[in-house]
Amino acid sequence: MKLFVLRLGHRISRDHRISTHCGLVARALGADGIVYSGDHDQSVLESVSRVSEQWGGKFEAKYEKSWKKAVNAYKKKGYTVVHLTMYGMPVQKTIAKVKRKNKLLVVVGGEKVPWEMYDLADFNVSVTSQPHSEIAALALFLDRVFGGKELDRKFVKAKKVVVPQARGKKIIGK
Amino acid sequence: MKLFVLRLGHRISRDHRISTHCGLVARALGADGIVYSGDHDQSVLESVSRVSEQWGGKFEAKYEKSWKKAVNAYKKKGYTVVHLTMYGMPVQKTIAKVKRKNKLLVVVGGEKVPWEMYDLADFNVSVTSQPHSEIAALALFLDRVFGGKELDRKFVKAKKVVVPQARGKKIIGK
């Protein structure tokens, strides 16, 4: 499966950490890349790219000013658009249908999601109907899509690799 | 099961959103409460409490200056301490053991986790060995502990309830 994430409406400085977390979670949990829309923020792109460089894998972080242009471009390439929102249909009820697709664009919102996004999405999907975090919603959604297998994923060409320990820290590489 | 979350080393203003997301995720995904250590930040406690008040459920957000005091207090009450860290043992390999416990304190770090935390924990658990987000790690861990059942959880005495929709937003209440 090909899977990209689109982060809507990034705002410079205010959203730096949340948007960076979205990118790192997308990478760690098996997405192929993330597209940021909203403000152009080189520092977020660099934070995410730096992690990819050190920790391996093929993950793209890119910018597209217009979220709508990004959505339509992916649609044209045959991607199914899943918009994560607390107002959508429960993930546990929609995941079977979504998993059958082989190209997904997963959209995660910022503070204000434009009304049109709900219409452009093929699926509006909720991870609980409670207010919480786009980072957590993205993590649980990816875990459901990949059926937990993303946790065993290897990252090619990693300069740094953690060796899991019951106590303490062990990193191979530099 | 009783389950509390401890957020280490909160820093005022810088961590506001990340720490708030940790609290909201803890609540939405079935924890009984969150304890913040580090800086005392009334606005984070209020953000989380305000959501609980409107959206229901019994969730406590509280503050304890010393993370070590908090950990030891929970230990004394018979809680098993699980520290989420990218350096720990994979969640998919540890979850069976952890699930057998009936009282859990789940510790999520900030920027610098004191070395002692690794020793005080009964389990150091990783959600992938990649750098990503304590919010995502917490979400996936809670989902594994509760076996996905947390997604169907009802929140008692909610003033606001979302009615899931394929398109658009529907909220009952005010």
Side-chain angles (χ1 to χ4, degrees):
Chain A
M1 170 178 307
K2 291 293 277 178
L3 190 153
F4 285 85
V5 173
L6 169 63
R7 162 75 165 149
L8 297 182
H10 173 74
R11 295 162 305 173
I12 228 157
S13 87
R14 185 169 154 75
D15 290 334
H16 181 85
R17 288 178 75 201
I18 298 283
S19 290
T20 301
H21 281 218
C22 285
L24 297 181
V25 167
R27 175 187 168 276
L29 301 180
D32 295 288
I34 187 165
V35 182
Y36 292 100
S37 70
D39 294 344
H40 185 265
D41 188 343
Q42 196 57 31
S43 74
V44 166
L45 295 172
E46 279 169 13
S47 296
V48 176
S49 302
R50 206 177 310 124
V51 168
S52 297
E53 233 171 74
Q54 296 201 299
W55 294 89
K58 289 175 187 169
F59 185 83
E60 276 179 272
K62 47 195 181 180
Y63 174 71
E64 166 54 61
K65 191 177 178 60
S66 158
W67 65 269
K68 214 191 295 180
K69 217 165 150 181
V71 169
N72 285 324
Y74 277 94
K75 281 200 160 200
K76 247 184 212 159
K77 287 190 271 181
Y79 280 73
T80 297
V81 178
V82 177
H83 171 220
L84 298 181
T85 160
M86 64 182 275
Y87 301 103
M89 299 301 287
V91 62
Q92 62 274 36
K93 290 186 182 159
T94 43
I95 195 68
K97 258 186 275 181
V98 168
K99 275 180 82 164
R100 266 182 246 134
K101 312 293 180 184
N102 55 15
K103 289 175 176 179
L104 291 183
L105 179 69
V106 183
V107 182
V108 291
E111 290 291 293
K112 275 190 194 170
V113 173
W115 191 253
E116 267 182 290
M117 189 59 239
Y118 292 83
D119 286 330
L120 277 172
D122 297 298
F123 297 93
N124 289 287
V125 172
S126 60
V127 175
T128 83
S129 298
Q130 299 294 317
H132 58 97
S133 167
E134 55 270 47
I135 299 166
L138 177 60
L140 280 198
F141 180 79
L142 293 176
D143 184 55
R144 288 293 191 283
V145 165
F146 296 122
K149 295 203 182 82
E150 79 286 356
L151 298 179
D152 296 310
R153 197 182 163 89
K154 299 277 170 259
F155 289 78
V156 294
K157 296 189 183 169
K159 292 178 188 162
K160 282 179 169 182
V161 177
V162 165
V163 184
Q165 305 287 309
R167 309 257 163 231
K169 306 180 186 181
K170 187 172 182 180
I171 299 186
I172 295 177
K174 47 172 185 171
Chain B
M1 169 176 310
K2 291 295 278 180
L3 190 153
F4 285 85
V5 174
L6 169 63
R7 163 73 164 150
L8 296 183
H10 172 75
R11 295 161 305 173
I12 229 157
S13 88
R14 183 168 156 75
D15 291 334
H16 181 85
R17 288 178 76 202
I18 298 284
S19 290
T20 301
H21 280 219
C22 285
L24 297 182
V25 167
R27 174 186 169 276
L29 300 180
D32 295 288
I34 189 166
V35 182
Y36 291 100
S37 70
D39 294 344
H40 185 264
D41 188 343
Q42 196 57 30
S43 75
V44 166
L45 295 172
E46 278 170 13
S47 296
V48 176
S49 302
R50 206 177 311 123
V51 168
S52 297
E53 233 171 73
Q54 295 201 301
W55 295 89
K58 289 176 188 170
F59 184 82
E60 276 178 90
K62 48 195 181 181
Y63 174 72
E64 166 55 59
K65 191 175 178 59
S66 158
W67 65 269
K68 215 190 296 180
K69 216 164 150 181
V71 169
N72 285 324
Y74 277 94
K75 281 201 160 198
K76 247 184 213 161
K77 287 190 272 181
Y79 280 72
T80 297
V81 178
V82 177
H83 171 219
L84 298 181
T85 159
M86 64 181 278
Y87 302 103
M89 299 302 287
V91 62
Q92 62 272 35
K93 291 187 181 157
T94 43
I95 194 68
K97 259 186 274 180
V98 168
K99 275 180 81 165
R100 266 182 245 134
K101 312 293 180 183
N102 55 15
K103 289 176 176 180
L104 290 183
L105 179 69
V106 183
V107 182
V108 291
E111 291 292 293
K112 277 192 195 168
V113 174
W115 190 253
E116 267 182 290
M117 189 58 239
Y118 292 83
D119 285 329
L120 276 171
D122 296 296
F123 297 93
N124 289 287
V125 173
S126 60
V127 175
T128 82
S129 298
Q130 299 294 317
H132 59 95
S133 166
E134 56 269 46
I135 299 167
L138 178 60
L140 281 199
F141 180 79
L142 293 175
D143 185 54
R144 287 293 191 284
V145 166
F146 296 123
K149 295 203 181 83
E150 79 287 354
L151 298 179
D152 296 312
R153 197 180 161 90
K154 299 278 172 259
F155 289 78
V156 295
K157 295 189 182 169
K159 291 179 188 162
K160 282 178 167 184
V161 177
V162 165
V163 185
Q165 305 286 306
R167 309 258 165 232
K169 306 181 186 182
K170 188 172 183 180
I171 300 186
I172 295 177
K174 49 175 182 170

